[in-house]
Amino acid sequence: MDEDSRTGSARDAERDAVLRALVPVVDGVAATFGPVCEVVLHDYRRPENSVVAVAGEVTGRAVGGAMSEIGLRVLARGDDADDELNYVTRTAGGRTVKSSTMVLRDSAGTVFGALCVNVDVTEVGRAQALLAALAGAAGPPADAPVTTFGDDIDSVVDTLLDTHLPRDRTWAGLDRSRRLALFRALDERGVFAVRRAIEQVAARLGISRASAYSYLSQARTATGSGPRPTSEGARP
């Protein structure tokens, strides 16, 4: 085994140890906050099956499930990713969720996972609105963005594609600049770090896999971001 392989194996062993150590934390935090709280532990080395531990039921996650749109965004930022604390989103079912995503780093500073806390504050919001109405200070509540949580990474990729593809345009109706902007937006949100995502996007757009790689490469060149790992570790 060469030096790079030994270093990689040691780094993976370190990351595995960190994840194992955090499993009791997942259970402890969820137990402390009760049934409105869910804690999810992610291993970003496996975007399609990143959930390695979960306690509580807020977003319906399960061990072996995929990361959410938020996780993909953190993954896309790589080692520049920061913790995202106390942000509010809505589930597809309409629940309001306050969340924090805390990135995990190994001893070299490389981001490899995240510990996420999700708290269902739907009833808190309703109580707040009721009290505001009683006080005569009621106003329209601010809409939190909808986030796709689920165990199927394909649904997350589809949602991101639907979000960034202009609703009044098909792929054929987009000019080159908008096509590149679409691939750039998907890339910035970590979509192409997911295995088979390039094929999924190509199929949804009705283009070939080679064309999808070409547009991705052009989008990265235009932003000067350079090549990054894509599905199945390939690089366009």
Side-chain angles (χ1 to χ4, degrees), residues 175-195:
D175 59 21
R176 180 177 180 275
S177 63
R178 291 193 176 186
R179 291 179 177 184
L180 292 178
L182 172 61
F183 272 84
R184 187 179 307 116
L186 295 176
D187 194 29
E188 288 172 349
R189 284 154 182 79
V191 167
F192 297 113
V194 175
R195 190 165 53 93

Side-chain angles (χ1 to χ4, degrees), residues 12 14 16 21 33 40-41 43 45 56 70 76 99 113 116 124 147 149 156 162 169 181 183 190-191 197 199 229:
D12 279 336
E14 175 192 355
D16 290 341
F33 287 94
V40 186
L41 182 62
D43 181 351
R45 292 172 294 180
I70 298 162
S99 303
C116 302
V124 174
T147 297
F149 296 98
V156 177
D162 290 338
R169 299 289 182 91
F183 272 84
V191 167
E199 290 87 347

Side-chain angles (χ1 to χ4, degrees), residues 12-151:
D12 279 336
E14 175 192 355
R15 295 168 179 173
D16 290 341
V18 171
L19 293 170
R20 285 195 300 271
L22 285 173
V23 171
V25 176
V26 169
D27 294 328
V29 172
T32 299
F33 287 94
V36 298
C37 181
E38 172 190 82
V39 185
V40 186
L41 182 62
H42 289 278
D43 181 351
Y44 285 172
R45 292 172 294 180
R46 304 178 301 172
E48 304 84 2
N49 307 104
S50 67
V51 179
V52 296
V54 61
E57 297 182 4
V58 172
T59 64
R61 316 309 296 281
V63 172
M67 61 175 55
S68 68
E69 300 167 42
I70 298 162
L72 285 178
R73 184 172 68 238
V74 174
L75 182 64
R77 293 172 181 166
D79 296 341
D80 293 328
D82 293 319
D83 295 341
E84 296 192 22
L85 307 176
N86 288 326
Y87 55 89
V88 178
T89 61
R90 286 185 297 127
T91 67
R95 309 297 292 179
T96 303
V97 180
K98 185 178 75 168
S99 303
S100 289
T101 298
M102 293 150 283
V103 298
L104 304 178
R105 300 177 187 272
D106 59 26
S107 57
T110 301
V111 172
F112 70 92
L115 180 66
C116 302
V117 180
N118 302 311
V119 179
D120 186 344
V121 295
T122 306
E123 300 305 325
V124 174
R126 290 172 180 168
Q128 184 180 41
L130 175 60
L131 292 173
L134 290 173
D143 286 335
V146 176
T147 297
T148 300
F149 296 98
D151 292 328

Side-chain angles (χ1 to χ4, degrees), residues 190-215:
V191 167
F192 297 113
V194 175
R195 190 165 53 93
R196 298 188 307 274
I198 197 78
E199 290 87 347
Q200 182 178 346
V201 170
R204 280 287 310 275
L205 296 177
I207 61 178
S208 69
R209 182 174 179 268
S211 293
Y213 271 123
S214 177
Y215 277 107

